[in-house]
Amino acid sequence: MRVSELSQLLGAVLEGDPSREVRNVAALDTATPEDVAFAEGERGLARALDSRAGCILVARGLSVPGHTTVAVDNPKLALIRAAAALLPAEKPRSGIHPSAVIAAGARLAADVSIGAHVVIDRSVSIGAGSSLGAGVYIGEGARVGDHCVLYPRVTVYAGARIGNSVVLHAGVVVGSDGFGYVFAEGQYHKFPQLGGVIIEDDVEVGSNTTIDRGSLGTTVIGQGTKIDNLVQIAHNVRIGRHCVIAAQTGISGSAMIGDYVVMAGQVGVGEHARIEDRAVIAGQAGVLNGKVVRKGATMWGTPARPIEEIKKQCVHLANLPALARKVRQLASMATKP
Amino acid sequence: MRVSELSQLLGAVLEGDPSREVRNVAALDTATPEDVAFAEGERGLARALDSRAGCILVARGLSVPGHTTVAVDNPKLALIRAAAALLPAEKPRSGIHPSAVIAAGARLAADVSIGAHVVIDRSVSIGAGSSLGAGVYIGEGARVGDHCVLYPRVTVYAGARIGNSVVLHAGVVVGSDGFGYVFAEGQYHKFPQLGGVIIEDDVEVGSNTTIDRGSLGTTVIGQGTKIDNLVQIAHNVRIGRHCVIAAQTGISGSAMIGDYVVMAGQVGVGEHARIEDRAVIAGQAGVLNGKVVRKGATMWGTPARPIEEIKKQCVHLANLPALARKVRQLASMATKP
Amino acid sequence: MRVSELSQLLGAVLEGDPSREVRNVAALDTATPEDVAFAEGERGLARALDSRAGCILVARGLSVPGHTTVAVDNPKLALIRAAAALLPAEKPRSGIHPSAVIAAGARLAADVSIGAHVVIDRSVSIGAGSSLGAGVYIGEGARVGDHCVLYPRVTVYAGARIGNSVVLHAGVVVGSDGFGYVFAEGQYHKFPQLGGVIIEDDVEVGSNTTIDRGSLGTTVIGQGTKIDNLVQIAHNVRIGRHCVIAAQTGISGSAMIGDYVVMAGQVGVGEHARIEDRAVIAGQAGVLNGKVVRKGATMWGTPARPIEEIKKQCVHLANLPALARKVRQLASMATKP
């Protein structure tokens, strides 16, 4: 694709050589003259000066001396669009591998792609254009919508509901039993884990993440939410729309997460906690059972508190030895005659 | 089932309409007239007033005006029993799927259920009534007891011993090599990981949890212990009976855990730590290497300390800015003439 | 093997009965007269007195009264060598199981061992002596070197590069998409995840660990590095040679880890952090985004700081109630007439 075509596609302002051919996207430092890269911020623009990229996406009003640039509203977003144009995702060939085991009564749309050793149980439905990688298992009565991509070894328990354009990475488990027991007579009795699990449209879930079904209620992952690897979502959790949840975070039973919430890695959220819209939880923070995090708040630490308080506390903690020394001084002065 | 029959089954006191038919269990807020629900505590009883449940399980001596109630010793436990009566777990049909690969010499009880693409290696034995979901792998010489349920994609390494009535959820790995190396001559040399792993009766293990074999000794999960998703159990760990270990907790090599221990989510337990019977470890706590947690203690924080101390410490931490201000004041008073 | 032969093999000094036959290795407390064990440190040597081991490996210059000992430079390392001599790892029989699905054009060395239900995609190459356990998936164009062991259910995404003598335990995922999105127009747009992943020689990776491919760059795990179970390695992370990373640690995007770095369990490393050679990060520590940890430093806590500081801080924290009391006393003295 010529840079002029790319620029037009992005509704952008081109500066430099419009006739260059680009074929790929790359980072500034590894880009070749056939690559499109993007530059943001002072450091990005400085690094752009030395880049061999054939075309650099920059913010409107900017350019990079000696380089062909395409100025757009959001350079990083423009790179996504450039990649989509230059490298359209290869659709797996539709068809059903002969080694797949598909129960009678399963409904598969005509153009699905079913990989080797896939197992599909009774009463399952798989929507148009969806692809199931090698060894995927779909339990009885589960539904997978249109244009989903399930990577190899995904396990979907019976009855789960998966929307459209959902991506589940390798080893993801959807719909396993929640962790609920009643202690009586010296042992733990399993509480019924009979509820559902709903994964709405446009959700992406990272490798080996686990999402439990509801016990009596339903576990819900809202539309557009993105979940990283090795995350734990317990029974009856409700996550709103367009949240981002980084790796190894764990959300305990019946927690409610609003829309546009961001959680960094290794966060823990206690049972029945409520995290309102647009809140941000910083890495390794622990939100206690039943705690409410208000709309838009940014929290850190265990127990989680507003991040400014925690940062101040860190400073005070670092000064604690000096404070103790000062108190000893004052005490010795006070007891002197 | 009529409410009168259910009441009789539970040894309960019925109040209201004994002739109602119930078919299912549900939460108070989503229950229909065909559902049994339970109500506990003030809030539960308040919510029960608005419930459409056909029958509500309550503690002895209580009732819910305008509702049919069944009064029992432990309403939540009674719900478990009601669910078992109303919705007996569907046993997978016994049989061996033709796509399963079973080595000569494996001993399978007559009524096992072996799913599609299961792989069973040499000298394995699978007990009566056990079911192996799609794609389960059982390594050479491993033993699975009676009435076990292994969900899809469980991997059991060679030589593991799994008791009776054990449930392993999807993606669980039992018996992988422990993480032990000797550093010498500029690199890490793998220490022999030749030990065993024993999972006793009535244990349940959550999705994608990993349990390593012993190095020279044996890793043991005691009878009735329940383990959540994404938990890590290292080599030579010994966990007692009837413990509960929540998601994403990690237990390091050779740690000893007593009976009836409770660990919340994301707890870390160091190597050779010893946690005595009935101790409770709160969420995200870190028990240091070699540390002993006494019988019945409740611990929190990293390094883990008695929870009352940590809670007091949190208050003092929150007051630290005020304390520092006060010390500055005193200092300025002291230095004034 | 006779103890005399073992001693000779280890270049060791034998004390006791050279004619004993040993067949196995074991821990001191469970060893039988046919086992070799090792004893290190005062406690180890004390326990050795009661051991039934046929032969005990000890440090040069030491012996155990009444026992046959073999004195070596490094007893634990010698045990590894004894185990290798006594119990040579059983090589899986080479061959390709008939249920494996291997795409045309895949290049498999002559003596590979390919288990049941393995799936190998187009243009894959598998090196000499490598073994793939049941249900392993290797995506298009991926390369696996010589003498690798991939345990059951490992998933290798398209294009990944795996060196020689690499061990991947069950459920490991290599090369899944990184977690990168651009927020625009009210939703998250997926940033291209087109980069590579390279796992160098002699790396071992624990069960259910996830390693993402680079976004535009490359994720690299350096030679000889050992990674435990349930670890998360994000996109573009570069880990040096001979590192040790314990269970449930998570390393965020574009972090750089030097050589000979040690990380305990449940550590979190932020985006773009840099951890220099031979640094040690203690359990549950959190290294903030962009933070640099200097060569050889030992860090703990969140945010991670030098461990001596954190330990002092713990003491000061424990004294905080006393300090507050003292300040109240001083204040009341100061305000007295």
PDB file of all heavy atoms in Angstrom, chain B residues 99 135 157 171 176 181 186 190 208 212 230 232 250 267 302, chain C residues 97 117 151 153 169-170 204 207-208 229 242 244 248 260 266 284:
ATOM      1  N   SER B  99     -12.802 -42.657  20.586  1.00  0.00           N
ATOM      2  CA  SER B  99     -11.598 -41.865  20.285  1.00  0.00           C
ATOM      3  C   SER B  99     -10.593 -41.885  21.433  1.00  0.00           C
ATOM      4  O   SER B  99      -9.473 -41.386  21.282  1.00  0.00           O
ATOM      5  CB  SER B  99     -11.997 -40.423  19.962  1.00  0.00           C
ATOM      6  OG  SER B  99     -12.570 -39.825  21.105  1.00  0.00           O
ATOM      7  N   GLY B 135     -10.483 -35.265  26.725  1.00  0.00           N
ATOM      8  CA  GLY B 135      -9.095 -34.837  26.668  1.00  0.00           C
ATOM      9  C   GLY B 135      -8.312 -34.972  27.958  1.00  0.00           C
ATOM     10  O   GLY B 135      -7.208 -34.431  28.066  1.00  0.00           O
ATOM     11  N   TYR B 157       0.072 -36.583  36.023  1.00  0.00           N
ATOM     12  CA  TYR B 157       1.381 -37.135  35.660  1.00  0.00           C
ATOM     13  C   TYR B 157       1.517 -38.581  36.163  1.00  0.00           C
ATOM     14  O   TYR B 157       0.773 -39.022  37.041  1.00  0.00           O
ATOM     15  CB  TYR B 157       2.487 -36.299  36.282  1.00  0.00           C
ATOM     16  CG  TYR B 157       2.897 -35.069  35.487  1.00  0.00           C
ATOM     17  CD1 TYR B 157       1.977 -34.076  35.173  1.00  0.00           C
ATOM     18  CD2 TYR B 157       4.211 -34.874  35.081  1.00  0.00           C
ATOM     19  CE1 TYR B 157       2.369 -32.935  34.475  1.00  0.00           C
ATOM     20  CE2 TYR B 157       4.610 -33.731  34.392  1.00  0.00           C
ATOM     21  CZ  TYR B 157       3.686 -32.772  34.088  1.00  0.00           C
ATOM     22  OH  TYR B 157       4.072 -31.648  33.398  1.00  0.00           O
ATOM     23  N   GLY B 171      -8.401 -28.381  33.412  1.00  0.00           N
ATOM     24  CA  GLY B 171      -7.066 -27.805  33.344  1.00  0.00           C
ATOM     25  C   GLY B 171      -6.189 -28.058  34.551  1.00  0.00           C
ATOM     26  O   GLY B 171      -5.036 -27.605  34.582  1.00  0.00           O
ATOM     27  N   SER B 176       3.134 -32.565  38.449  1.00  0.00           N
ATOM     28  CA  SER B 176       4.240 -32.021  37.648  1.00  0.00           C
ATOM     29  C   SER B 176       5.482 -31.869  38.542  1.00  0.00           C
ATOM     30  O   SER B 176       5.402 -31.919  39.756  1.00  0.00           O
ATOM     31  CB  SER B 176       3.835 -30.687  37.015  1.00  0.00           C
ATOM     32  OG  SER B 176       3.162 -29.850  37.926  1.00  0.00           O
ATOM     33  N   TYR B 181      16.300 -26.587  42.096  1.00  0.00           N
ATOM     34  CA  TYR B 181      17.537 -26.579  41.326  1.00  0.00           C
ATOM     35  C   TYR B 181      18.708 -26.326  42.269  1.00  0.00           C
ATOM     36  O   TYR B 181      18.546 -25.702  43.317  1.00  0.00           O
ATOM     37  CB  TYR B 181      17.497 -25.476  40.260  1.00  0.00           C
ATOM     38  CG  TYR B 181      16.363 -25.661  39.285  1.00  0.00           C
ATOM     39  CD1 TYR B 181      15.108 -25.103  39.538  1.00  0.00           C
ATOM     40  CD2 TYR B 181      16.525 -26.427  38.143  1.00  0.00           C
ATOM     41  CE1 TYR B 181      14.052 -25.307  38.670  1.00  0.00           C
ATOM     42  CE2 TYR B 181      15.467 -26.621  37.262  1.00  0.00           C
ATOM     43  CZ  TYR B 181      14.235 -26.061  37.530  1.00  0.00           C
ATOM     44  OH  TYR B 181      13.205 -26.271  36.677  1.00  0.00           O
ATOM     45  N   GLY B 186      27.824 -21.803  37.469  1.00  0.00           N
ATOM     46  CA  GLY B 186      27.200 -20.779  36.631  1.00  0.00           C
ATOM     47  C   GLY B 186      25.854 -21.133  36.054  1.00  0.00           C
ATOM     48  O   GLY B 186      25.316 -20.395  35.239  1.00  0.00           O
ATOM     49  N   LYS B 190      18.972 -29.312  37.729  1.00  0.00           N
ATOM     50  CA  LYS B 190      17.675 -29.740  38.249  1.00  0.00           C
ATOM     51  C   LYS B 190      17.837 -30.811  39.321  1.00  0.00           C
ATOM     52  O   LYS B 190      18.452 -31.852  39.094  1.00  0.00           O
ATOM     53  CB  LYS B 190      16.835 -30.289  37.093  1.00  0.00           C
ATOM     54  CG  LYS B 190      15.451 -30.701  37.536  1.00  0.00           C
ATOM     55  CD  LYS B 190      14.548 -30.941  36.359  1.00  0.00           C
ATOM     56  CE  LYS B 190      13.171 -31.346  36.856  1.00  0.00           C
ATOM     57  NZ  LYS B 190      12.167 -31.176  35.817  1.00  0.00           N
ATOM     58  N   ASN B 208      -7.458 -25.138  36.537  1.00  0.00           N
ATOM     59  CA  ASN B 208      -6.089 -24.678  36.238  1.00  0.00           C
ATOM     60  C   ASN B 208      -5.190 -24.590  37.462  1.00  0.00           C
ATOM     61  O   ASN B 208      -4.137 -23.946  37.411  1.00  0.00           O
ATOM     62  CB  ASN B 208      -6.111 -23.348  35.477  1.00  0.00           C
ATOM     63  CG  ASN B 208      -6.489 -23.546  34.011  1.00  0.00           C
ATOM     64  OD1 ASN B 208      -6.505 -24.672  33.512  1.00  0.00           O
ATOM     65  ND2 ASN B 208      -6.813 -22.476  33.313  1.00  0.00           N
ATOM     66  N   ASP B 212       2.317 -29.994  42.428  1.00  0.00           N
ATOM     67  CA  ASP B 212       3.553 -30.687  42.043  1.00  0.00           C
ATOM     68  C   ASP B 212       3.746 -31.959  42.863  1.00  0.00           C
ATOM     69  O   ASP B 212       3.332 -32.051  44.014  1.00  0.00           O
ATOM     70  CB  ASP B 212       4.756 -29.773  42.280  1.00  0.00           C
ATOM     71  CG  ASP B 212       4.878 -28.693  41.212  1.00  0.00           C
ATOM     72  OD1 ASP B 212       4.229 -28.802  40.153  1.00  0.00           O
ATOM     73  OD2 ASP B 212       5.637 -27.736  41.441  1.00  0.00           O
ATOM     74  N   LEU B 230      -6.589 -21.866  40.164  1.00  0.00           N
ATOM     75  CA  LEU B 230      -5.292 -21.192  39.974  1.00  0.00           C
ATOM     76  C   LEU B 230      -4.439 -21.162  41.230  1.00  0.00           C
ATOM     77  O   LEU B 230      -3.651 -20.243  41.446  1.00  0.00           O
ATOM     78  CB  LEU B 230      -5.509 -19.758  39.454  1.00  0.00           C
ATOM     79  CG  LEU B 230      -6.093 -19.667  38.037  1.00  0.00           C
ATOM     80  CD1 LEU B 230      -6.499 -18.229  37.727  1.00  0.00           C
ATOM     81  CD2 LEU B 230      -5.106 -20.142  36.988  1.00  0.00           C
ATOM     82  N   GLN B 232      -1.411 -22.782  43.543  1.00  0.00           N
ATOM     83  CA  GLN B 232      -0.149 -23.481  43.328  1.00  0.00           C
ATOM     84  C   GLN B 232       0.231 -24.239  44.599  1.00  0.00           C
ATOM     85  O   GLN B 232       0.347 -23.636  45.672  1.00  0.00           O
ATOM     86  CB  GLN B 232       0.936 -22.472  42.958  1.00  0.00           C
ATOM     87  CG  GLN B 232       2.359 -22.860  43.341  1.00  0.00           C
ATOM     88  CD  GLN B 232       2.923 -24.012  42.514  1.00  0.00           C
ATOM     89  OE1 GLN B 232       2.226 -24.574  41.675  1.00  0.00           O
ATOM     90  NE2 GLN B 232       4.149 -24.358  42.757  1.00  0.00           N
ATOM     91  N   GLY B 250      -0.635 -19.527  46.858  1.00  0.00           N
ATOM     92  CA  GLY B 250       0.525 -20.348  46.515  1.00  0.00           C
ATOM     93  C   GLY B 250       1.202 -20.863  47.766  1.00  0.00           C
ATOM     94  O   GLY B 250       1.447 -20.098  48.693  1.00  0.00           O
ATOM     95  N   VAL B 267      -3.037 -15.743  49.006  1.00  0.00           N
ATOM     96  CA  VAL B 267      -2.099 -15.917  50.112  1.00  0.00           C
ATOM     97  C   VAL B 267      -0.816 -16.558  49.576  1.00  0.00           C
ATOM     98  O   VAL B 267      -0.856 -17.374  48.650  1.00  0.00           O
ATOM     99  CB  VAL B 267      -2.731 -16.800  51.208  1.00  0.00           C
ATOM    100  CG1 VAL B 267      -1.679 -17.301  52.209  1.00  0.00           C
ATOM    101  CG2 VAL B 267      -3.849 -16.044  51.914  1.00  0.00           C
ATOM    102  N   THR B 302       1.889  -8.958  55.099  1.00  0.00           N
ATOM    103  CA  THR B 302       3.181  -9.533  54.720  1.00  0.00           C
ATOM    104  C   THR B 302       4.269  -8.729  55.397  1.00  0.00           C
ATOM    105  O   THR B 302       4.376  -7.532  55.143  1.00  0.00           O
ATOM    106  CB  THR B 302       3.383  -9.489  53.197  1.00  0.00           C
ATOM    107  OG1 THR B 302       2.323 -10.218  52.573  1.00  0.00           O
ATOM    108  CG2 THR B 302       4.712 -10.096  52.802  1.00  0.00           C
TER     109      THR B 302
ATOM    110  N   HIS C  97       2.189 -41.265  17.358  1.00  0.00           N
ATOM    111  CA  HIS C  97       0.952 -41.972  17.638  1.00  0.00           C
ATOM    112  C   HIS C  97      -0.030 -41.781  16.476  1.00  0.00           C
ATOM    113  O   HIS C  97      -0.148 -40.676  15.941  1.00  0.00           O
ATOM    114  CB  HIS C  97       0.331 -41.442  18.931  1.00  0.00           C
ATOM    115  CG  HIS C  97      -0.733 -42.343  19.448  1.00  0.00           C
ATOM    116  ND1 HIS C  97      -2.030 -42.298  18.992  1.00  0.00           N
ATOM    117  CD2 HIS C  97      -0.686 -43.346  20.353  1.00  0.00           C
ATOM    118  CE1 HIS C  97      -2.751 -43.224  19.607  1.00  0.00           C
ATOM    119  NE2 HIS C  97      -1.960 -43.869  20.450  1.00  0.00           N
ATOM    120  N   HIS C 117      -3.145 -37.746  20.116  1.00  0.00           N
ATOM    121  CA  HIS C 117      -3.959 -36.539  19.957  1.00  0.00           C
ATOM    122  C   HIS C 117      -3.166 -35.242  19.889  1.00  0.00           C
ATOM    123  O   HIS C 117      -3.713 -34.161  20.100  1.00  0.00           O
ATOM    124  CB  HIS C 117      -5.019 -36.454  21.071  1.00  0.00           C
ATOM    125  CG  HIS C 117      -5.980 -37.590  21.017  1.00  0.00           C
ATOM    126  ND1 HIS C 117      -6.375 -38.282  22.128  1.00  0.00           N
ATOM    127  CD2 HIS C 117      -6.609 -38.191  19.996  1.00  0.00           C
ATOM    128  CE1 HIS C 117      -7.200 -39.251  21.793  1.00  0.00           C
ATOM    129  NE2 HIS C 117      -7.379 -39.209  20.499  1.00  0.00           N
ATOM    130  N   TYR C 151       5.232 -31.540  27.914  1.00  0.00           N
ATOM    131  CA  TYR C 151       4.281 -32.401  28.603  1.00  0.00           C
ATOM    132  C   TYR C 151       2.884 -32.209  28.014  1.00  0.00           C
ATOM    133  O   TYR C 151       2.646 -31.289  27.232  1.00  0.00           O
ATOM    134  CB  TYR C 151       4.338 -32.114  30.103  1.00  0.00           C
ATOM    135  CG  TYR C 151       5.536 -32.764  30.757  1.00  0.00           C
ATOM    136  CD1 TYR C 151       6.745 -32.081  30.885  1.00  0.00           C
ATOM    137  CD2 TYR C 151       5.473 -34.078  31.211  1.00  0.00           C
ATOM    138  CE1 TYR C 151       7.856 -32.687  31.463  1.00  0.00           C
ATOM    139  CE2 TYR C 151       6.577 -34.696  31.789  1.00  0.00           C
ATOM    140  CZ  TYR C 151       7.768 -34.000  31.910  1.00  0.00           C
ATOM    141  OH  TYR C 151       8.850 -34.620  32.476  1.00  0.00           O
ATOM    142  N   ARG C 153      -0.817 -31.316  26.847  1.00  0.00           N
ATOM    143  CA  ARG C 153      -1.667 -30.117  26.822  1.00  0.00           C
ATOM    144  C   ARG C 153      -0.899 -28.811  26.712  1.00  0.00           C
ATOM    145  O   ARG C 153      -1.457 -27.756  26.986  1.00  0.00           O
ATOM    146  CB  ARG C 153      -2.571 -30.031  28.073  1.00  0.00           C
ATOM    147  CG  ARG C 153      -3.243 -31.315  28.470  1.00  0.00           C
ATOM    148  CD  ARG C 153      -4.363 -31.707  27.585  1.00  0.00           C
ATOM    149  NE  ARG C 153      -4.760 -33.085  27.875  1.00  0.00           N
ATOM    150  CZ  ARG C 153      -4.938 -33.988  26.952  1.00  0.00           C
ATOM    151  NH1 ARG C 153      -4.838 -33.697  25.676  1.00  0.00           N
ATOM    152  NH2 ARG C 153      -5.292 -35.201  27.271  1.00  0.00           N
ATOM    153  N   HIS C 169       6.089 -27.771  30.982  1.00  0.00           N
ATOM    154  CA  HIS C 169       5.174 -28.652  31.706  1.00  0.00           C
ATOM    155  C   HIS C 169       3.726 -28.478  31.224  1.00  0.00           C
ATOM    156  O   HIS C 169       3.399 -27.560  30.477  1.00  0.00           O
ATOM    157  CB  HIS C 169       5.334 -28.440  33.206  1.00  0.00           C
ATOM    158  CG  HIS C 169       6.543 -29.155  33.723  1.00  0.00           C
ATOM    159  ND1 HIS C 169       6.539 -30.490  34.028  1.00  0.00           N
ATOM    160  CD2 HIS C 169       7.821 -28.728  33.931  1.00  0.00           C
ATOM    161  CE1 HIS C 169       7.751 -30.857  34.425  1.00  0.00           C
ATOM    162  NE2 HIS C 169       8.550 -29.807  34.374  1.00  0.00           N
ATOM    163  N   ALA C 170       2.908 -29.375  31.739  1.00  0.00           N
ATOM    164  CA  ALA C 170       1.525 -29.470  31.260  1.00  0.00           C
ATOM    165  C   ALA C 170       0.804 -28.125  31.324  1.00  0.00           C
ATOM    166  O   ALA C 170       0.910 -27.393  32.297  1.00  0.00           O
ATOM    167  CB  ALA C 170       0.770 -30.498  32.098  1.00  0.00           C
ATOM    168  N   GLU C 204      13.305 -24.232  31.504  1.00  0.00           N
ATOM    169  CA  GLU C 204      12.210 -25.098  31.970  1.00  0.00           C
ATOM    170  C   GLU C 204      11.072 -24.199  32.431  1.00  0.00           C
ATOM    171  O   GLU C 204      11.302 -23.193  33.104  1.00  0.00           O
ATOM    172  CB  GLU C 204      12.695 -26.001  33.118  1.00  0.00           C
ATOM    173  CG  GLU C 204      11.606 -26.932  33.630  1.00  0.00           C
ATOM    174  CD  GLU C 204      12.129 -28.192  34.330  1.00  0.00           C
ATOM    175  OE1 GLU C 204      13.352 -28.319  34.513  1.00  0.00           O
ATOM    176  OE2 GLU C 204      11.294 -29.052  34.690  1.00  0.00           O
ATOM    177  N   SER C 207       3.986 -25.779  35.087  1.00  0.00           N
ATOM    178  CA  SER C 207       2.617 -26.042  34.631  1.00  0.00           C
ATOM    179  C   SER C 207       1.756 -24.783  34.584  1.00  0.00           C
ATOM    180  O   SER C 207       1.782 -23.960  35.491  1.00  0.00           O
ATOM    181  CB  SER C 207       1.941 -27.011  35.598  1.00  0.00           C
ATOM    182  OG  SER C 207       2.655 -28.207  35.655  1.00  0.00           O
ATOM    183  N   ASN C 208       0.989 -24.694  33.530  1.00  0.00           N
ATOM    184  CA  ASN C 208      -0.018 -23.646  33.356  1.00  0.00           C
ATOM    185  C   ASN C 208       0.550 -22.232  33.357  1.00  0.00           C
ATOM    186  O   ASN C 208      -0.196 -21.258  33.529  1.00  0.00           O
ATOM    187  CB  ASN C 208      -1.142 -23.779  34.399  1.00  0.00           C
ATOM    188  CG  ASN C 208      -2.104 -24.919  34.044  1.00  0.00           C
ATOM    189  OD1 ASN C 208      -2.075 -25.442  32.932  1.00  0.00           O
ATOM    190  ND2 ASN C 208      -2.938 -25.323  34.979  1.00  0.00           N
ATOM    191  N   ASN C 229       5.455 -22.727  38.168  1.00  0.00           N
ATOM    192  CA  ASN C 229       4.060 -22.848  37.726  1.00  0.00           C
ATOM    193  C   ASN C 229       3.311 -21.508  37.796  1.00  0.00           C
ATOM    194  O   ASN C 229       3.602 -20.674  38.646  1.00  0.00           O
ATOM    195  CB  ASN C 229       3.296 -23.822  38.639  1.00  0.00           C
ATOM    196  CG  ASN C 229       3.866 -25.225  38.630  1.00  0.00           C
ATOM    197  OD1 ASN C 229       4.681 -25.562  37.788  1.00  0.00           O
ATOM    198  ND2 ASN C 229       3.430 -26.044  39.566  1.00  0.00           N
ATOM    199  N   HIS C 242      19.812 -17.764  32.913  1.00  0.00           N
ATOM    200  CA  HIS C 242      19.978 -18.360  34.240  1.00  0.00           C
ATOM    201  C   HIS C 242      19.248 -17.588  35.337  1.00  0.00           C
ATOM    202  O   HIS C 242      19.774 -17.371  36.426  1.00  0.00           O
ATOM    203  CB  HIS C 242      21.469 -18.496  34.579  1.00  0.00           C
ATOM    204  CG  HIS C 242      22.224 -19.263  33.542  1.00  0.00           C
ATOM    205  ND1 HIS C 242      21.958 -20.590  33.280  1.00  0.00           N
ATOM    206  CD2 HIS C 242      23.206 -18.899  32.676  1.00  0.00           C
ATOM    207  CE1 HIS C 242      22.765 -20.995  32.300  1.00  0.00           C
ATOM    208  NE2 HIS C 242      23.515 -19.997  31.909  1.00  0.00           N
ATOM    209  N   VAL C 244      15.821 -17.413  37.886  1.00  0.00           N
ATOM    210  CA  VAL C 244      14.898 -18.320  38.550  1.00  0.00           C
ATOM    211  C   VAL C 244      13.678 -17.508  38.959  1.00  0.00           C
ATOM    212  O   VAL C 244      13.811 -16.509  39.661  1.00  0.00           O
ATOM    213  CB  VAL C 244      15.576 -18.952  39.788  1.00  0.00           C
ATOM    214  CG1 VAL C 244      14.545 -19.554  40.710  1.00  0.00           C
ATOM    215  CG2 VAL C 244      16.571 -20.015  39.354  1.00  0.00           C
ATOM    216  N   GLN C 248       3.644 -18.062  40.373  1.00  0.00           N
ATOM    217  CA  GLN C 248       2.626 -17.013  40.445  1.00  0.00           C
ATOM    218  C   GLN C 248       3.205 -15.612  40.343  1.00  0.00           C
ATOM    219  O   GLN C 248       2.510 -14.629  40.594  1.00  0.00           O
ATOM    220  CB  GLN C 248       1.777 -17.179  41.714  1.00  0.00           C
ATOM    221  CG  GLN C 248       0.940 -18.453  41.676  1.00  0.00           C
ATOM    222  CD  GLN C 248       0.165 -18.696  42.937  1.00  0.00           C
ATOM    223  OE1 GLN C 248       0.658 -18.443  44.026  1.00  0.00           O
ATOM    224  NE2 GLN C 248      -1.044 -19.221  42.810  1.00  0.00           N
ATOM    225  N   TYR C 260      20.897 -14.062  35.801  1.00  0.00           N
ATOM    226  CA  TYR C 260      21.052 -14.547  37.177  1.00  0.00           C
ATOM    227  C   TYR C 260      20.157 -13.804  38.176  1.00  0.00           C
ATOM    228  O   TYR C 260      20.517 -13.629  39.337  1.00  0.00           O
ATOM    229  CB  TYR C 260      22.520 -14.460  37.618  1.00  0.00           C
ATOM    230  CG  TYR C 260      23.426 -15.350  36.811  1.00  0.00           C
ATOM    231  CD1 TYR C 260      24.283 -14.822  35.853  1.00  0.00           C
ATOM    232  CD2 TYR C 260      23.409 -16.725  37.002  1.00  0.00           C
ATOM    233  CE1 TYR C 260      25.108 -15.637  35.099  1.00  0.00           C
ATOM    234  CE2 TYR C 260      24.238 -17.554  36.243  1.00  0.00           C
ATOM    235  CZ  TYR C 260      25.085 -17.009  35.303  1.00  0.00           C
ATOM    236  OH  TYR C 260      25.890 -17.825  34.566  1.00  0.00           O
ATOM    237  N   GLN C 266       4.937 -14.969  43.668  1.00  0.00           N
ATOM    238  CA  GLN C 266       3.925 -13.907  43.701  1.00  0.00           C
ATOM    239  C   GLN C 266       4.499 -12.505  43.592  1.00  0.00           C
ATOM    240  O   GLN C 266       3.883 -11.532  44.034  1.00  0.00           O
ATOM    241  CB  GLN C 266       3.055 -14.049  44.958  1.00  0.00           C
ATOM    242  CG  GLN C 266       2.245 -15.336  44.967  1.00  0.00           C
ATOM    243  CD  GLN C 266       1.346 -15.480  46.166  1.00  0.00           C
ATOM    244  OE1 GLN C 266       1.601 -14.905  47.216  1.00  0.00           O
ATOM    245  NE2 GLN C 266       0.276 -16.257  46.026  1.00  0.00           N
ATOM    246  N   GLN C 284       6.198 -11.740  46.948  1.00  0.00           N
ATOM    247  CA  GLN C 284       5.068 -10.802  46.934  1.00  0.00           C
ATOM    248  C   GLN C 284       5.489  -9.350  46.720  1.00  0.00           C
ATOM    249  O   GLN C 284       4.647  -8.452  46.788  1.00  0.00           O
ATOM    250  CB  GLN C 284       4.233 -10.924  48.212  1.00  0.00           C
ATOM    251  CG  GLN C 284       3.531 -12.265  48.352  1.00  0.00           C
ATOM    252  CD  GLN C 284       2.593 -12.302  49.538  1.00  0.00           C
ATOM    253  OE1 GLN C 284       2.863 -11.691  50.558  1.00  0.00           O
ATOM    254  NE2 GLN C 284       1.485 -13.024  49.408  1.00  0.00           N
TER     255      GLN C 284
END
